[in-house]
Amino acid sequence: MAAEYWCGSQQLTTGDTMNKSELIDAIATRTELSKVASGKALDAVIETIVQAVAKGDGVSLVGFGSFKAAARAAREGKNPKTGEKIKIAATTVPKFSAGATFKATVATAKGKKKK
């Protein structure tokens, strides 16, 4: 099933997931930047968010969402092949929480999606 994305007057069609190069194309179209500049900007945003969260800082983009590091407690799991119980160590994982505007846009668009 193809998904359609509009960037200005350009329609981008892809499968169910937009990949990085399609996202760069969409950014370039909306901002009138070159694809190279758009790619560098996207890479800089992603790298900045990753570094901030890795240091333990949160990143909040109003309307889009928040990125933060979350502690995951140690727990007991099960090996799916053998059924044997195993210990899973505590770790820190990245967490994303969608903002209200993002949630509302997705909820509204879902009803418009072609099946």
Side-chain angles (χ1 to χ4, degrees):
M1 179 165 124
E4 298 173 350
Y5 304 96
W6 287 91
C7 295
S9 61
Q10 181 182 2
Q11 180 182 5
L12 303 173
T13 304
T14 184
D16 289 336
T17 303
M18 179 186 278
N19 65 32
K20 186 175 180 180
S21 67
E22 291 168 335
L23 181 57
I24 290 169
D25 289 345
I27 293 168
T29 301
R30 285 188 159 220
T31 62
E32 298 179 6
L33 292 172
S34 70
K35 289 182 183 180
V36 172
S38 297
K40 287 180 180 180
L42 179 60
D43 288 342
V45 168
I46 292 169
E47 184 178 319
T48 303
I49 291 170
V50 169
Q51 288 176 350
V53 173
K55 287 191 320 186
D57 297 335
V59 177
S60 180
L61 304 171
V62 176
F64 180 69
S66 299
F67 299 87
K68 67 179 181 179
R72 182 177 288 165
R75 62 194 190 281
E76 196 172 87
K78 191 186 334 183
N79 181 327
K81 285 187 177 180
T82 64
E84 175 186 2
K85 290 185 179 183
I86 57 173
K87 291 182 180 179
I88 301 171
T91 188
T92 302
V93 296
K95 185 175 179 181
F96 174 75
S97 299
T101 304
F102 188 10
K103 288 179 184 178
T105 302
V106 170
T108 302
K110 190 172 184 172
K112 296 178 184 177
K113 191 174 185 179
K114 294 179 184 178
K115 293 183 179 179

XYZ file of all heavy atoms in Angstrom:
831
model
N 0.845 -1.178 0.000
C 0.000 0.000 0.000
C 0.888 1.239 0.000
O 1.771 1.395 0.825
C -0.879 -0.016 1.254
C -1.775 1.165 1.367
S -3.030 0.808 2.593
C -2.803 2.142 3.680
N 0.682 2.141 -0.915
C 1.498 3.344 -1.044
C 0.951 4.458 -0.164
O -0.249 4.615 -0.010
C 1.537 3.804 -2.491
N 1.857 5.199 0.425
C 1.484 6.368 1.211
C 1.852 7.604 0.408
O 2.818 7.600 -0.346
C 2.210 6.361 2.553
N 1.087 8.661 0.548
C 1.352 9.888 -0.191
C 1.739 10.995 0.776
O 1.108 11.163 1.817
C 0.116 10.306 -0.987
C -0.292 9.278 -2.025
C -1.603 9.604 -2.695
O -2.306 10.531 -2.243
O -1.927 8.925 -3.668
N 2.779 11.739 0.430
C 3.257 12.860 1.240
C 3.298 14.091 0.350
O 3.799 14.043 -0.759
C 4.662 12.584 1.791
C 4.740 11.308 2.579
C 5.174 10.125 1.993
C 4.355 11.280 3.912
C 5.237 8.947 2.714
C 4.413 10.102 4.639
C 4.851 8.949 4.041
O 4.911 7.796 4.763
N 2.771 15.170 0.825
C 2.765 16.417 0.065
C 3.787 17.369 0.644
O 3.826 17.596 1.847
C 1.386 17.073 0.096
C 0.415 16.327 -0.753
C -0.410 15.313 -0.357
C 0.177 16.502 -2.140
N -1.142 14.847 -1.409
C -0.801 15.567 -2.523
C 0.706 17.345 -3.107
C -1.268 15.465 -3.828
C 0.225 17.238 -4.396
C -0.737 16.316 -4.755
N 4.618 17.907 -0.207
C 5.606 18.915 0.172
C 5.435 20.075 -0.776
O 5.885 20.018 -1.924
C 7.007 18.353 0.078
S 7.278 17.038 1.253
N 4.778 21.115 -0.325
C 4.462 22.215 -1.224
C 3.514 21.681 -2.275
O 2.471 21.142 -1.957
N 3.898 21.782 -3.523
C 3.049 21.268 -4.592
C 3.521 19.904 -5.092
O 2.942 19.345 -6.006
C 3.028 22.264 -5.759
O 4.343 22.424 -6.258
N 4.583 19.367 -4.495
C 5.127 18.086 -4.941
C 4.563 16.948 -4.099
O 4.540 17.011 -2.878
C 6.646 18.089 -4.831
C 7.283 16.803 -5.307
C 8.786 16.798 -5.143
O 9.355 17.749 -4.627
N 9.429 15.739 -5.560
N 4.112 15.910 -4.774
C 3.597 14.735 -4.096
C 4.660 13.648 -4.115
O 5.208 13.330 -5.165
C 2.342 14.230 -4.802
C 1.746 13.001 -4.155
C 0.519 12.506 -4.910
O 0.172 13.027 -5.948
N -0.131 11.520 -4.361
N 4.964 13.103 -2.944
C 5.914 12.005 -2.842
C 5.133 10.744 -2.515
O 4.296 10.748 -1.621
C 6.935 12.274 -1.729
C 7.741 13.558 -1.842
C 8.574 13.758 -0.593
C 8.620 13.532 -3.069
N 5.374 9.686 -3.246
C 4.688 8.431 -2.986
C 5.722 7.390 -2.610
O 6.764 7.288 -3.222
C 3.918 7.966 -4.234
O 3.025 9.000 -4.629
C 3.122 6.716 -3.955
N 5.406 6.616 -1.605
C 6.318 5.586 -1.129
C 5.510 4.452 -0.530
O 4.286 4.455 -0.588
C 7.300 6.184 -0.089
O 8.227 5.163 0.285
C 6.609 6.705 1.133
N 6.185 3.497 0.057
C 5.516 2.414 0.764
C 4.976 2.944 2.082
O 4.748 4.138 2.247
N 4.793 2.085 3.039
C 4.213 2.481 4.312
C 5.132 3.346 5.163
O 4.676 4.000 6.082
C 3.810 1.251 5.125
C 2.602 0.558 4.529
O 1.817 1.216 3.814
O 2.442 -0.636 4.789
N 6.432 3.372 4.881
C 7.380 4.122 5.692
C 8.218 5.043 4.814
O 8.776 4.609 3.818
C 8.318 3.156 6.446
O 7.525 2.280 7.234
C 9.278 3.903 7.340
N 8.319 6.316 5.219
C 9.184 7.270 4.511
C 10.611 7.015 4.969
O 10.878 6.983 6.169
C 8.769 8.706 4.857
C 9.640 9.763 4.191
S 9.275 11.455 4.717
C 7.881 11.831 3.677
N 11.537 6.831 4.027
C 12.928 6.603 4.411
C 13.681 7.932 4.491
O 13.128 8.995 4.206
C 13.612 5.597 3.472
C 13.727 6.101 2.054
O 13.864 7.288 1.797
N 13.685 5.174 1.105
N 14.945 7.851 4.884
C 15.728 9.065 5.104
C 15.872 9.907 3.838
O 15.740 11.129 3.882
C 17.102 8.713 5.673
C 17.924 9.928 6.055
C 19.226 9.529 6.713
C 20.040 10.746 7.078
N 21.314 10.377 7.719
N 16.143 9.278 2.696
C 16.320 10.059 1.462
C 15.017 10.741 1.048
O 15.036 11.862 0.531
C 16.884 9.205 0.331
O 15.970 8.227 -0.074
N 13.886 10.101 1.271
C 12.596 10.733 0.975
C 12.320 11.892 1.936
O 11.748 12.910 1.540
C 11.471 9.699 1.045
C 11.545 8.691 -0.089
C 10.642 7.489 0.109
O 10.312 7.147 1.256
O 10.275 6.872 -0.900
N 12.737 11.731 3.185
C 12.596 12.821 4.152
C 13.468 14.006 3.746
O 13.027 15.164 3.801
C 12.957 12.344 5.558
C 12.838 13.360 6.685
C 11.431 13.946 6.772
C 13.217 12.722 8.015
N 14.672 13.731 3.293
C 15.561 14.801 2.817
C 14.942 15.509 1.616
O 14.959 16.736 1.525
C 16.964 14.240 2.493
C 17.676 13.854 3.790
C 17.793 15.248 1.702
C 18.944 13.055 3.597
N 14.359 14.742 0.679
C 13.670 15.341 -0.473
C 12.533 16.256 -0.017
O 12.361 17.358 -0.539
C 13.092 14.258 -1.391
C 14.156 13.485 -2.149
O 15.313 13.945 -2.189
O 13.816 12.426 -2.706
N 11.761 15.800 0.974
C 10.640 16.592 1.476
C 11.131 17.877 2.141
O 10.553 18.951 1.943
C 9.816 15.766 2.467
N 12.212 17.781 2.914
C 12.785 18.966 3.564
C 13.289 19.945 2.510
O 13.037 21.156 2.590
C 13.917 18.572 4.539
C 13.361 17.791 5.724
C 14.689 19.803 5.009
C 14.415 17.118 6.582
N 13.992 19.426 1.499
C 14.530 20.276 0.429
C 13.402 21.005 -0.293
O 13.520 22.201 -0.601
C 15.344 19.441 -0.549
N 12.312 20.317 -0.563
C 11.178 20.936 -1.258
C 10.527 22.024 -0.416
O 10.246 23.114 -0.910
C 10.126 19.855 -1.611
O 10.744 18.883 -2.443
C 8.949 20.460 -2.342
N 10.317 21.742 0.860
C 9.648 22.719 1.733
C 10.505 23.931 2.050
O 9.984 25.022 2.243
C 9.223 22.062 3.042
C 8.029 21.193 2.878
C 7.548 20.735 4.237
N 6.169 20.352 4.048
C 5.207 20.612 4.907
N 5.467 21.234 6.026
N 3.975 20.238 4.666
N 11.807 23.742 2.149
C 12.691 24.833 2.568
C 13.404 25.514 1.417
O 14.064 26.525 1.628
C 13.767 24.312 3.541
O 14.573 23.340 2.866
C 13.155 23.722 4.795
N 13.304 24.941 0.224
C 14.009 25.425 -0.957
C 15.523 25.381 -0.767
O 16.267 26.138 -1.378
C 13.531 26.826 -1.360
C 12.058 26.857 -1.733
C 11.551 28.231 -2.124
O 12.359 29.168 -2.231
O 10.341 28.353 -2.323
N 15.978 24.465 0.082
C 17.406 24.194 0.238
C 17.774 23.078 -0.725
O 16.911 22.330 -1.183
C 17.719 23.720 1.664
C 17.568 24.724 2.804
C 17.731 24.022 4.137
C 18.584 25.844 2.662
N 19.060 22.931 -1.001
C 19.499 21.807 -1.832
C 19.326 20.524 -1.028
O 19.217 20.550 0.207
C 20.957 21.978 -2.224
O 21.798 21.810 -1.096
N 19.343 19.396 -1.736
C 19.249 18.107 -1.044
C 20.459 17.881 -0.150
O 20.334 17.323 0.945
C 19.099 16.971 -2.051
C 17.744 16.952 -2.726
C 17.623 15.781 -3.668
C 16.293 15.829 -4.389
N 16.138 14.702 -5.318
N 21.623 18.337 -0.595
C 22.841 18.185 0.210
C 22.713 18.979 1.511
O 22.986 18.472 2.600
C 24.093 18.622 -0.584
C 25.323 18.660 0.306
C 24.324 17.691 -1.772
N 22.272 20.230 1.412
C 22.109 21.074 2.599
C 21.027 20.510 3.515
O 21.174 20.518 4.744
C 21.767 22.503 2.196
N 19.948 20.018 2.927
C 18.869 19.421 3.718
C 19.353 18.174 4.444
O 19.014 17.954 5.612
C 17.679 19.066 2.829
O 17.133 20.219 2.256
N 20.160 17.361 3.769
C 20.720 16.167 4.391
C 21.638 16.510 5.549
O 21.596 15.869 6.606
N 22.472 17.533 5.365
C 23.370 17.975 6.441
C 22.573 18.505 7.627
O 22.914 18.253 8.784
C 24.336 19.042 5.933
C 25.423 18.493 5.035
C 26.356 19.597 4.572
C 27.451 19.058 3.674
N 28.367 20.103 3.204
N 21.501 19.251 7.343
C 20.664 19.798 8.423
C 19.982 18.666 9.193
O 19.966 18.674 10.436
C 19.622 20.756 7.843
N 19.429 17.690 8.480
C 18.785 16.557 9.139
C 19.788 15.784 9.978
O 19.507 15.444 11.136
C 18.126 15.631 8.107
C 17.445 14.383 8.671
C 16.337 14.755 9.651
C 16.908 13.522 7.543
N 20.962 15.505 9.422
C 22.004 14.796 10.169
C 22.401 15.564 11.428
O 22.599 14.972 12.494
C 23.243 14.560 9.304
C 23.023 13.498 8.229
O 22.060 12.714 8.345
O 23.816 13.469 7.262
N 22.506 16.894 11.324
C 22.876 17.721 12.482
C 21.804 17.666 13.563
O 22.117 17.570 14.755
C 23.115 19.166 12.045
N 20.536 17.702 13.171
C 19.430 17.622 14.142
C 19.463 16.277 14.860
O 19.397 16.213 16.090
C 18.068 17.850 13.449
C 16.915 17.481 14.370
C 17.934 19.287 12.982
N 19.576 15.202 14.088
C 19.585 13.863 14.687
C 20.783 13.700 15.616
O 20.641 13.228 16.747
C 19.581 12.780 13.587
C 18.236 12.798 12.851
C 19.856 11.397 14.172
C 18.208 11.954 11.586
N 21.964 14.112 15.163
C 23.172 13.987 15.976
C 23.065 14.796 17.269
O 23.457 14.330 18.337
C 24.385 14.453 15.162
C 25.700 14.276 15.877
C 26.879 14.713 15.006
O 26.875 14.428 13.802
O 27.784 15.359 15.563
N 22.511 15.988 17.183
C 22.354 16.839 18.360
C 21.395 16.213 19.372
O 21.664 16.206 20.577
C 21.864 18.242 17.953
O 22.801 18.797 17.020
C 21.734 19.156 19.147
N 20.290 15.673 18.891
C 19.320 15.014 19.780
C 19.952 13.795 20.433
O 19.851 13.608 21.651
C 18.035 14.631 19.021
C 17.265 15.895 18.620
C 17.146 13.713 19.873
C 16.109 15.650 17.660
N 20.642 12.966 19.650
C 21.275 11.754 20.183
C 22.304 12.110 21.251
O 22.333 11.504 22.328
C 21.910 10.918 19.039
C 22.808 9.814 19.597
C 20.826 10.331 18.152
N 23.153 13.098 20.980
C 24.178 13.486 21.947
C 23.564 14.034 23.232
O 24.031 13.723 24.332
C 25.135 14.506 21.335
C 26.059 13.913 20.299
C 26.943 14.955 19.623
O 26.758 16.152 19.786
N 27.905 14.484 18.830
N 22.532 14.844 23.109
C 21.890 15.417 24.298
C 21.263 14.326 25.163
O 21.440 14.303 26.386
C 20.832 16.440 23.889
N 20.540 13.411 24.536
C 19.884 12.337 25.286
C 20.924 11.398 25.893
O 20.770 10.943 27.024
C 18.872 11.581 24.396
C 18.310 10.361 25.106
C 17.740 12.520 23.968
N 22.009 11.131 25.170
C 23.076 10.272 25.692
C 23.712 10.871 26.946
O 24.136 10.139 27.842
C 24.136 10.034 24.621
N 23.779 12.214 27.015
C 24.327 12.888 28.206
C 23.324 12.914 29.351
O 23.662 13.300 30.457
C 24.711 14.334 27.876
C 25.953 14.474 27.042
C 26.460 15.906 26.962
C 25.371 16.931 26.833
N 25.844 18.295 26.628
N 22.080 12.558 29.086
C 21.059 12.579 30.127
C 20.148 13.787 30.051
O 19.273 13.962 30.883
N 20.361 14.652 29.056
C 19.499 15.821 28.877
C 18.274 15.432 28.054
O 18.331 14.530 27.230
C 20.247 16.937 28.130
C 21.446 17.462 28.904
O 21.452 17.338 30.140
O 22.369 17.988 28.261
N 17.184 16.138 28.279
C 16.003 15.941 27.464
C 15.988 16.958 26.332
O 16.624 18.003 26.402
N 15.281 16.630 25.259
C 15.101 17.544 24.137
C 13.603 17.653 23.895
O 12.936 16.652 23.669
C 15.810 17.038 22.860
C 15.546 17.968 21.694
C 17.298 16.871 23.097
N 13.089 18.876 23.962
C 11.656 19.087 23.786
C 11.415 19.980 22.574
O 11.946 21.087 22.494
C 11.070 19.747 25.041
O 9.694 19.961 24.867
N 10.638 19.484 21.623
C 10.242 20.236 20.442
C 8.733 20.449 20.547
O 7.955 19.525 20.278
C 10.605 19.473 19.159
C 12.086 19.093 19.026
C 12.305 18.171 17.844
C 12.934 20.345 18.882
N 8.338 21.630 20.970
C 6.934 21.926 21.253
C 6.069 21.586 20.038
O 6.364 21.974 18.917
C 6.749 23.405 21.660
C 5.284 23.725 21.859
C 7.540 23.708 22.921
N 5.017 20.818 20.280
C 4.102 20.402 19.234
C 4.505 19.095 18.578
O 3.671 18.367 18.066
N 5.800 18.787 18.566
C 6.274 17.539 17.960
C 6.433 16.451 19.010
O 5.838 15.389 18.908
C 7.593 17.760 17.220
C 8.135 16.508 16.583
C 7.491 15.930 15.509
C 9.280 15.909 17.072
C 7.980 14.758 14.931
C 9.782 14.751 16.499
C 9.128 14.178 15.427
N 7.256 16.716 20.036
C 7.448 15.719 21.081
C 8.711 15.943 21.869
O 9.425 16.923 21.681
N 8.972 15.001 22.765
C 10.134 15.086 23.655
C 10.941 13.806 23.595
O 10.387 12.707 23.527
C 9.678 15.295 25.100
O 8.959 16.487 25.214
N 12.259 13.974 23.634
C 13.196 12.858 23.683
C 13.869 12.896 25.042
O 14.238 13.969 25.513
C 14.268 13.007 22.599
C 13.736 13.027 21.190
C 13.329 14.217 20.612
C 13.656 11.860 20.447
C 12.853 14.247 19.311
C 13.173 11.887 19.140
C 12.775 13.077 18.578
N 14.041 11.734 25.673
C 14.759 11.679 26.941
C 15.303 10.279 27.155
O 14.915 9.334 26.456
C 13.865 12.093 28.103
C 12.724 11.137 28.395
C 11.898 11.629 29.578
C 10.777 10.652 29.867
N 9.981 11.066 31.016
N 16.203 10.172 28.113
C 16.746 8.876 28.500
C 15.888 8.340 29.635
O 15.499 9.083 30.532
C 18.197 9.007 28.946
N 15.574 7.050 29.595
C 14.763 6.429 30.635
C 15.483 5.190 31.162
O 16.048 4.411 30.382
C 13.395 6.046 30.077
N 15.459 5.032 32.462
C 16.080 3.864 33.081
C 15.128 2.677 32.973
O 13.935 2.801 33.215
C 16.390 4.152 34.541
N 15.684 1.547 32.574
C 14.900 0.317 32.521
C 15.477 -0.609 33.593
O 16.672 -0.909 33.582
C 14.995 -0.326 31.138
C 14.137 -1.587 31.031
C 14.158 -2.184 29.644
N 13.380 -1.337 28.746
C 13.432 -1.421 27.429
N 14.231 -2.290 26.850
N 12.698 -0.635 26.670
N 14.643 -1.035 34.507
C 15.081 -1.866 35.626
C 15.490 -3.259 35.156
O 15.042 -3.735 34.111
C 13.948 -1.989 36.646
N 16.331 -3.890 35.964
C 16.698 -5.280 35.697
C 15.438 -6.126 35.838
O 14.547 -5.812 36.638
C 17.769 -5.733 36.689
N 15.371 -7.166 35.042
C 14.176 -8.006 35.102
C 14.535 -9.425 34.678
O 15.613 -9.690 34.191
C 13.073 -7.438 34.231
C 13.423 -7.359 32.760
C 12.427 -6.476 31.999
N 12.608 -6.568 30.569
C 13.539 -5.943 29.857
N 14.416 -5.175 30.473
N 13.623 -6.081 28.558
N 13.572 -10.295 34.862
C 13.761 -11.677 34.474
C 12.998 -11.917 33.177
O 11.852 -11.495 33.034
C 13.228 -12.592 35.583
C 13.702 -14.010 35.483
C 13.294 -14.806 36.707
O 12.164 -15.336 36.697
O 14.095 -14.885 37.660
N 13.642 -12.561 32.233
C 12.992 -12.878 30.968
C 13.037 -14.364 30.716
O 13.454 -15.143 31.567
N 12.601 -14.760 29.514
C 12.579 -16.168 29.174
C 13.178 -16.357 27.787
O 12.838 -15.631 26.850
C 11.137 -16.674 29.187
C 11.062 -18.171 29.108
C 9.724 -18.862 28.967
C 8.481 -18.320 29.420
N 7.337 -19.219 29.219
N 14.083 -17.306 27.654
C 14.647 -17.652 26.367
C 13.530 -18.303 25.546
O 12.972 -19.323 25.946
C 15.816 -18.630 26.551
C 16.468 -19.015 25.244
O 15.827 -19.107 24.212
N 17.768 -19.268 25.316
N 13.160 -17.720 24.394
C 12.027 -18.259 23.634
C 12.265 -19.666 23.065
O 11.316 -20.409 22.873
C 11.831 -17.251 22.496
C 13.058 -16.439 22.451
C 13.720 -16.531 23.778
N 13.527 -20.034 22.833
C 13.809 -21.372 22.294
C 13.722 -22.454 23.358
O 13.158 -23.514 23.134
C 15.190 -21.403 21.651
C 15.263 -20.721 20.317
C 16.611 -20.956 19.672
C 16.643 -20.317 18.297
N 17.950 -20.537 17.645
N 14.324 -22.161 24.517
C 14.428 -23.202 25.546
C 13.426 -23.040 26.673
O 13.177 -23.976 27.418
C 15.840 -23.196 26.163
O 16.036 -21.950 26.843
C 16.905 -23.389 25.108
N 12.870 -21.844 26.825
C 11.958 -21.585 27.939
C 12.703 -21.308 29.236
O 12.094 -21.054 30.270
N 14.035 -21.348 29.183
C 14.863 -21.123 30.363
C 14.765 -19.667 30.812
O 14.753 -18.747 29.996
C 16.309 -21.450 29.994
C 17.326 -21.157 31.063
C 18.749 -21.371 30.554
O 18.943 -21.713 29.382
O 19.659 -21.155 31.364
N 14.681 -19.460 32.128
C 14.638 -18.103 32.665
C 16.029 -17.497 32.602
O 17.021 -18.166 32.893
C 14.126 -18.105 34.099
C 12.655 -18.442 34.206
C 12.147 -18.311 35.608
C 10.665 -18.639 35.652
N 10.116 -18.456 36.985
N 16.087 -16.209 32.189
C 17.361 -15.497 32.113
C 17.224 -14.146 32.801
O 16.117 -13.607 32.907
C 17.829 -15.298 30.651
C 16.768 -14.555 29.841
C 18.165 -16.622 30.001
C 17.197 -14.173 28.441
N 18.352 -13.615 33.257
C 18.356 -12.298 33.883
C 18.698 -11.267 32.826
O 19.675 -11.426 32.084
C 19.358 -12.235 35.029
C 18.959 -13.084 36.216
C 19.952 -12.951 37.341
C 19.502 -13.824 38.517
N 20.450 -13.751 39.625
N 17.901 -10.209 32.753
C 18.151 -9.105 31.828
C 18.634 -7.931 32.662
O 17.953 -7.510 33.602
C 16.879 -8.741 31.034
C 16.391 -9.962 30.238
C 17.146 -7.561 30.113
C 15.032 -9.788 29.602
N 19.810 -7.420 32.341
C 20.437 -6.356 33.128
C 19.680 -5.033 32.985
O 19.009 -4.782 31.983
C 21.878 -6.171 32.687
N 19.817 -4.194 34.005
C 19.266 -2.839 33.947
C 20.009 -2.058 32.871
O 21.179 -2.311 32.604
C 19.426 -2.154 35.301
N 19.329 -1.145 32.232
C 19.939 -0.348 31.172
C 19.218 0.988 31.039
O 18.184 1.206 31.657
C 19.915 -1.125 29.827
O 20.677 -0.403 28.878
C 18.505 -1.320 29.320
N 19.785 1.862 30.244
C 19.165 3.142 29.932
C 18.805 3.129 28.456
O 19.632 2.759 27.616
C 20.121 4.309 30.232
O 20.488 4.237 31.618
C 19.464 5.646 29.966
N 17.583 3.509 28.144
C 17.109 3.485 26.759
C 16.564 4.857 26.375
O 16.118 5.621 27.228
C 16.000 2.417 26.566
C 16.542 1.027 26.800
C 14.811 2.684 27.482
N 16.609 5.195 25.078
C 15.988 6.453 24.644
C 14.469 6.303 24.626
O 13.947 5.215 24.360
C 16.540 6.653 23.232
C 16.913 5.286 22.768
C 17.272 4.499 23.990
N 13.779 7.395 24.923
C 12.316 7.378 24.946
C 11.800 8.617 24.219
O 12.337 9.706 24.385
C 11.817 7.371 26.388
C 10.325 7.246 26.517
C 9.901 7.126 27.964
C 8.389 7.021 28.044
N 7.936 6.931 29.424
N 10.776 8.430 23.397
C 10.141 9.541 22.694
C 8.684 9.599 23.106
O 7.993 8.581 23.138
C 10.226 9.350 21.172
C 9.469 10.402 20.411
C 9.962 11.683 20.289
C 8.246 10.115 19.835
C 9.255 12.666 19.600
C 7.532 11.076 19.136
C 8.038 12.353 19.021
N 8.223 10.795 23.435
C 6.810 11.023 23.743
C 6.286 12.043 22.750
O 6.801 13.166 22.668
C 6.644 11.565 25.170
O 7.129 10.639 26.100
N 5.267 11.665 21.985
C 4.696 12.567 20.983
C 3.971 13.727 21.652
O 3.316 13.557 22.674
C 3.737 11.804 20.084
N 4.089 14.912 21.048
C 3.417 16.103 21.547
C 1.949 16.118 21.131
O 1.510 15.369 20.250
N 1.187 17.007 21.743
C -0.254 17.079 21.503
C -0.596 17.383 20.043
O -1.502 16.770 19.471
C -0.881 18.125 22.424
N 0.125 18.300 19.421
C -0.155 18.643 18.025
C 0.121 17.460 17.113
O -0.666 17.162 16.209
C 0.699 19.851 17.587
O 0.450 20.941 18.480
C 0.383 20.278 16.174
N 1.224 16.763 17.347
C 1.582 15.585 16.566
C 0.492 14.514 16.715
O 0.011 13.942 15.724
C 2.936 15.078 17.037
C 3.558 13.982 16.209
C 3.054 13.588 14.985
C 4.693 13.335 16.668
C 3.659 12.579 14.239
C 5.306 12.330 15.932
C 4.783 11.953 14.722
N 0.087 14.243 17.955
C -0.952 13.241 18.209
C -2.258 13.599 17.511
O -2.897 12.745 16.897
C -1.201 13.108 19.714
C -0.092 12.419 20.466
C -0.449 12.363 21.940
C 0.662 11.781 22.775
N 0.336 11.767 24.202
N -2.650 14.862 17.616
C -3.907 15.293 17.000
C -3.855 15.178 15.482
O -4.829 14.756 14.843
C -4.217 16.728 17.417
N -2.733 15.537 14.888
C -2.575 15.455 13.432
C -2.650 14.008 12.959
O -3.320 13.692 11.973
C -1.246 16.087 12.984
O -1.219 17.450 13.420
C -1.087 16.036 11.480
N -1.982 13.107 13.668
C -2.007 11.687 13.301
C -3.419 11.116 13.470
O -3.898 10.387 12.608
C -0.980 10.887 14.137
C -1.156 9.393 13.946
C 0.435 11.304 13.774
N -4.083 11.473 14.553
C -5.439 10.970 14.788
C -6.397 11.442 13.704
O -7.245 10.678 13.243
C -5.930 11.417 16.164
N -6.253 12.692 13.250
C -7.116 13.235 12.218
C -6.797 12.599 10.865
O -7.696 12.235 10.117
C -6.918 14.761 12.110
O -7.206 15.337 13.384
C -7.835 15.366 11.079
N -5.516 12.447 10.553
C -5.093 11.895 9.265
C -5.438 10.419 9.137
O -5.688 9.935 8.043
C -3.604 12.103 9.068
N -5.471 9.690 10.222
C -5.734 8.253 10.187
C -7.115 7.966 9.587
O -7.287 7.011 8.859
C -5.614 7.633 11.579
C -5.643 6.142 11.557
C -5.331 5.562 12.904
C -5.287 4.040 12.805
N -4.825 3.414 14.006
N -8.069 8.829 9.875
C -9.411 8.658 9.342
C -9.469 8.900 7.837
O -10.356 8.415 7.146
N -8.494 9.659 7.301
C -8.454 9.990 5.879
C -7.661 8.977 5.055
O -7.663 9.041 3.847
C -7.841 11.373 5.675
C -8.639 12.491 6.283
C -7.921 13.819 6.081
C -8.650 14.942 6.766
N -7.943 16.203 6.638
N -6.934 8.082 5.724
C -6.052 7.142 5.039
C -6.863 6.168 4.181
O -7.851 5.614 4.629
C -5.224 6.361 6.078
C -4.112 5.562 5.477
C -3.263 4.961 6.579
C -2.071 4.247 6.004
N -1.247 3.682 7.058
N -6.403 5.969 2.953
C -7.066 5.043 2.038
C -6.686 3.619 2.403
O -5.546 3.333 2.709
C -6.647 5.335 0.595
C -7.115 6.670 0.123
C -6.640 6.916 -1.300
C -7.034 8.313 -1.756
N -6.550 8.585 -3.093
N -7.640 2.716 2.331
C -7.382 1.305 2.650
C -7.341 0.485 1.404
O -7.838 0.728 0.409
C -8.451 0.778 3.593
C -8.364 1.451 4.952
C -9.361 0.869 5.883
C -9.251 1.527 7.255
N -10.195 1.032 8.195
